[in-house]
Amino acid sequence: MSASTAPVASAAAAVPATAPDSGALIAGVRVGGAWSEDLQARCRRWLSDHGLGDLIEQDAGVDAWGPWQRFRLSWPQAADLDTAGLAQSLRLSPDDSDRDLDAEILAALLLSPVPFDFPSLDEWQSAVRLRRFIVQAGRRTVLAFDTEQAERPDCWRWSEETGFILLPGHELIPSLEQTLWPDVSGRLYSFSCYRATEYVLLLAMARELQVSNPAALAALQAQWQRKAIQSGPFHDAFLHEYGSLQAPLPPRYYVPGDRLWFRNPHEPSANVEGYEGSWVFYLGQGHFTNFWKPDQPYTLTYKCVEIHHWRHGLRQDAAAKAWMDESIVEARVAETLADPLATNRILDRMMRLRDPAGVYDQGGCIDASREAVRCVRPGTFDLGF
């Protein structure tokens, strides 16, 4: 489905890449600070425990911020930085194993064309676990799509000034689980997909803070008892972007747990509320969240073809208000996917990078950047609330 909120500018984009070797595509992960032998051994054990120890290239250096260690995945299939088949290539089963999901996340981070910079090994490990929590929460989330109405369980109270806040006596994590997961609540609640991604991120952050920074979890819960942070302020407080229109990421490079936006490049249908684009999480194994039909996660091909056919579902009611006929879209998608030549023609256009905001020209639906959560550990904490 779609979203009513376009991306906002990053408050803390990743540090631009400096090529680690002449012609190298992979920048991987850089971890700051001076490393003791014990810390080196701990990191090697962690990577080896995930089956990656023999696939890692490591070097060290110093920049304006001090010493760092760099880790990259040595992987011959990485030439185009397509991460969809990474789990299969590494013989992982991320659906069945936390260890294998973490390994897919680690491998994708280690293939990054721009450096993922972490101030410590602890922060890197938290980032991997947090991405796991995002994927796991995204898999279980099932919602009713609605850009105009919003419903929440009785543990929330809404006002124009505060948004949905927690009522006294209710804790953040179980309240979010009840809101997002019908196997807990027994029903579906109405969301736009942009707001849904905020709730999934909030749940994942709360779960990670419960593990690594309980004082920050208490502060996060207190914040949601006073006032919800949402939309642009949510992005600015909790997320940073990596990649940009000036230095775009490869169109098939995604890390499990990424939040990203697929843009609708067709201006008339993009003017229908909720169809400006589609906010999703990358789940790994070539799949993206489908909050409306979670047993049918999107593939990159399906999402591109679906957004292309929004133009064909565009309709007007008796009052000349534009709306989207999803039945027409679904029929068109099925017809296209049954025809490889038609599918390839659409992908040729839709797999292009999107145009800048406000421009509808020759761009496709692929964004240049992805979004990730800021630092969460005591001492390096960077969440802005």
Side-chain angles (χ1 to χ4, degrees):
M1 267 295 180
S2 48
S4 57
T5 308
V8 294
S10 170
V15 176
T18 55
D21 292 315
S22 177
L25 291 173
I26 300 170
V29 171
R30 293 191 307 199
V31 185
W35 281 46
S36 66
E37 286 295 326
D38 287 345
L39 192 60
Q40 292 277 8
R42 179 182 149 205
C43 183
R44 286 193 296 270
R45 283 195 304 271
W46 181 53
L47 295 171
S48 294
D49 287 346
H50 289 86
L52 302 176
D54 295 335
L55 301 174
I56 301 298
E57 296 177 353
Q58 182 179 354
D59 65 342
V62 179
D63 59 21
W65 291 273
W68 47 260
Q69 298 281 328
R70 175 167 45 205
F71 304 84
R72 293 176 291 164
L73 193 69
S74 177
W75 195 244
Q77 293 94 321
D80 60 356
L81 296 184
D82 183 347
T83 55
L86 195 54
Q88 183 177 6
S89 297
L90 293 170
R91 299 182 180 178
L92 302 173
S93 299
D95 291 339
D96 305 316
S97 164
D98 287 355
R99 178 262 189 193
D100 281 9
L101 177 53
D102 285 359
E104 184 183 10
I105 294 165
L106 266 170
L109 291 172
L110 291 162
L111 284 175
S112 177
V114 297
F116 275 96
D117 286 302
F118 299 103
S120 67
L121 177 58
D122 284 345
E123 200 68 68
W124 184 13
Q125 291 176 325
S126 276
V128 171
R129 187 167 51 236
L130 204 154
R131 284 176 174 274
R132 184 215 306 161
F133 291 151
I134 291 171
V135 171
Q136 291 172 334
R139 288 172 180 165
R140 287 181 68 179
T141 295
V142 193
L143 303 167
F145 177 65
D146 199 319
T147 61
E148 298 180 353
Q149 302 295 322
E151 300 173 304
R152 303 292 184 269
D154 292 340
C155 49
W156 302 93
R157 179 180 66 216
W158 183 87
S159 75
E160 189 72 36
E161 295 76 23
T162 65
F164 281 102
I165 60 172
L166 281 173
L167 289 171
H170 294 278
E171 295 186 359
L172 184 60
I173 291 175
S175 297
L176 290 166
E177 291 174 346
Q178 186 179 11
T179 305
L180 296 173
W181 298 347
D183 58 337
V184 173
S185 67
R187 59 160 295 182
L188 303 183
Y189 293 96
S190 297
F191 276 82
S192 71
C193 62
Y194 185 75
R195 189 70 68 235
T197 63
E198 291 179 348
Y199 273 58
V200 169
L201 283 166
L202 186 60
L203 175 56
M205 286 188 288
R207 291 186 65 195
E208 174 54 30
L209 293 175
Q210 188 178 46
V211 174
S212 63
N213 195 344
L217 173 58
L220 187 68
Q221 175 160 308
Q223 172 67 51
W224 253 262
Q225 290 169 334
R226 296 189 304 270
K227 185 176 182 180
I229 303 173
Q230 53 192 19
S231 301
F234 185 98
H235 174 282
D236 294 342
F238 300 113
L239 305 174
H240 68 84
E241 293 182 37
Y242 67 104
S244 67
L245 286 174
Q246 293 71 39
L249 294 171
R252 295 184 182 273
Y253 174 79
Y254 303 94
V255 181
D258 279 346
R259 186 173 82 159
L260 60 135
W261 191 59
F262 291 107
R263 191 195 195 205
N264 181 358
H266 179 249
E267 186 173 11
S269 59
N271 287 326
V272 180
E273 185 178 5
Y275 292 86
E276 301 90 339
S278 184
W279 282 97
V280 297
F281 292 105
Y282 181 60
L283 298 174
Q285 304 177 84
H287 294 151
F288 301 85
T289 47
N290 182 347
F291 293 137
W292 333 114
K293 298 177 181 179
D295 58 333
Q296 301 174 36
Y298 297 118
T299 63
L300 187 57
T301 294
Y302 189 101
K303 179 53 69 174
C304 289
V305 171
E306 178 192 55
I307 292 175
H308 170 81
H309 283 305
W310 282 350
R311 67 196 64 195
H312 300 121
L314 180 62
R315 295 292 183 270
Q316 286 189 336
D317 62 18
K321 181 180 179 180
W323 62 283
M324 187 66 58
D325 189 330
E326 290 280 1
S327 64
I328 292 176
V329 175
E330 290 182 6
R332 289 276 195 150
V333 169
E335 181 181 354
T336 295
L337 293 177
D339 182 343
L341 291 178
T343 299
N344 288 336
R345 282 196 298 270
I346 289 173
L347 289 180
D348 183 61
R349 170 61 189 271
M350 299 299 282
M351 284 294 296
R352 300 175 191 174
L353 289 174
R354 68 173 177 87
D355 288 319
V359 176
Y360 292 89
D361 188 15
Q362 296 301 308
C365 71
I366 303 298
D367 207 350
S369 65
R370 323 278 186 257
E371 297 183 351
V373 177
R374 294 172 175 271
C375 294
V376 297
R377 290 274 187 158
T380 50
F381 184 82
D382 192 32
L383 303 183
F385 68 96

